Amino acid sequence: GKMVELDLRMNELTSIDSLAPNALRSIDLAGNHLVRPPVFKAEMPKLVRLDLSFNDLSSAVSSAGSGAFATLSSLRALALQNCMLSTLKGKDGAFLFADLPNLLKLDLSFNLIAEPSELFPVTALQRLAHLDVGCNEMCAHPDYDACKAELRRKLSTLKSLNEEAVTNNFMGYGENAVEKGDMIAAMTAAMSQDNSSCSCIEGNPCLNADNCNDWHKRFAVAHKARLENYWSQGRAFCDLR
């Protein structure tokens, strides 16, 4: 039979060039040394899942044009966790994922995106059901809650945001959100009152400055720790993500 899944996690691949159209439906390249996404010779009509997590793609994104994913219009799930991304725009200023109209799931967690406004083009993905942008630097931005509310308003198909279910009675993330039944705000409040040690060294940015060893660099410290955990635990860590 034809191969439909390709699992090349935890290798030392630096590039994958000139993949020809085939029967592959899933490609997992997490935890390699890729410096750019795979290069496909033509449209990959059957590919629905691509995992590029834990590869430093920062340089590739900054130098990419709007057609970086132009041959993957059938893609349903794209994972880019821990890829050192600071922007979702290519060198021409265009949205990187504009050519993925069928995308249902997008994981951008644990990157270095600092401005919530970077997320606004995501609303063009009108079939998106699951979006994870947690543990980026923008999570500490004063406009972050308003940005999440805007995403929820403009993406009627959204079922989960940062692994939290989005419901029809969504009431926002404001100061009174707990009174309105917002469990996300309740969890955040509880965590911010935690007196435990610095969680950055475990790969999760601290929510309380009093507990943090380096509050101003918490996202960078957590990113590095998460990457080290990935390599030390190997596939076991992959499967826990």
Side-chain angles (χ1 to χ4, degrees):
K2 296 181 179 179
M3 182 172 63
V4 296
E5 294 186 12
L6 180 62
D7 186 349
L8 294 174
R9 288 180 293 174
M10 302 297 295
N11 285 286
E12 297 184 1
L13 300 173
T14 57
S15 65
I16 294 184
D17 300 323
S18 301
L19 273 177
N22 50 49
L24 284 175
R25 293 181 57 81
S26 174
I27 299 178
D28 194 337
L29 296 168
N32 280 280
H33 299 302
L34 298 178
V35 294
R36 64 175 184 271
V39 176
F40 300 98
K41 293 177 65 175
E43 180 70 25
M44 299 285 284
K46 297 185 181 299
L47 189 64
V48 295
R49 177 182 177 273
L50 177 62
D51 192 341
L52 299 175
S53 299
F54 291 90
N55 288 284
D56 186 350
L57 301 178
S58 54
S59 297
V61 167
S62 62
S63 60
S66 56
F69 295 94
T71 57
L72 303 177
S73 61
S74 297
L75 206 64
R76 301 291 191 274
L78 176 61
L80 293 166
Q81 181 187 142
N82 251 83
C83 286
M84 297 290 287
L85 303 180
S86 60
T87 182
L88 301 182
K89 299 174 183 176
K91 63 180 180 180
D92 52 5
F95 181 45
L96 283 174
F97 312 126
D99 296 313
L100 304 177
N102 295 304
L103 204 61
L104 302 177
K105 184 176 183 178
L106 178 60
D107 185 353
L108 296 169
S109 61
F110 288 93
N111 279 289
L112 302 174
I113 303 170
E115 294 293 328
S117 59
E118 284 281 339
L119 296 180
F120 290 145
V122 173
T123 58
L125 303 174
Q126 285 295 303
R127 297 189 64 186
L128 197 64
H130 306 282
L131 174 64
D132 194 344
V133 295
C135 294
N136 276 273
E137 292 187 12
M138 65 181 169
C139 296
H141 195 286
D143 296 334
Y144 179 57
D145 286 349
C147 177
K148 288 191 293 185
E150 185 71 0
L151 287 174
R152 168 61 181 85
R153 187 177 71 82
K154 290 188 175 182
L155 283 172
S156 59
T157 56
L158 203 61
K159 295 180 179 178
S160 71
L161 178 58
N162 299 350
E163 298 187 339
E164 293 287 340
V166 172
T167 61
N168 290 332
N169 59 355
F170 177 84
M171 297 298 290
Y173 298 92
E175 294 180 358
N176 299 321
V178 174
E179 297 177 4
K180 297 173 181 177
D182 183 2
M183 294 305 296
I184 297 176
M187 291 171 63
T188 301
M191 292 176 69
S192 66
Q193 296 170 5
D194 181 23
N195 293 319
S196 61
S197 60
C198 178
S199 64
C200 298
I201 58 177
E202 299 174 356
N204 297 300
C206 284
L207 294 174
N208 190 332
D210 295 335
N211 300 333
C212 193
N213 293 338
D214 194 341
W215 179 249
H216 295 293
K217 295 182 180 179
R218 62 193 184 280
F219 290 98
V221 172
H223 181 281
K224 181 180 179 180
R226 195 168 178 82
L227 188 60
E228 290 175 349
N229 288 340
Y230 182 92
W231 282 106
S232 64
Q233 297 178 37
R235 287 180 178 269
F237 188 84
C238 276
D239 294 336
L240 288 173
R241 288 188 289 122

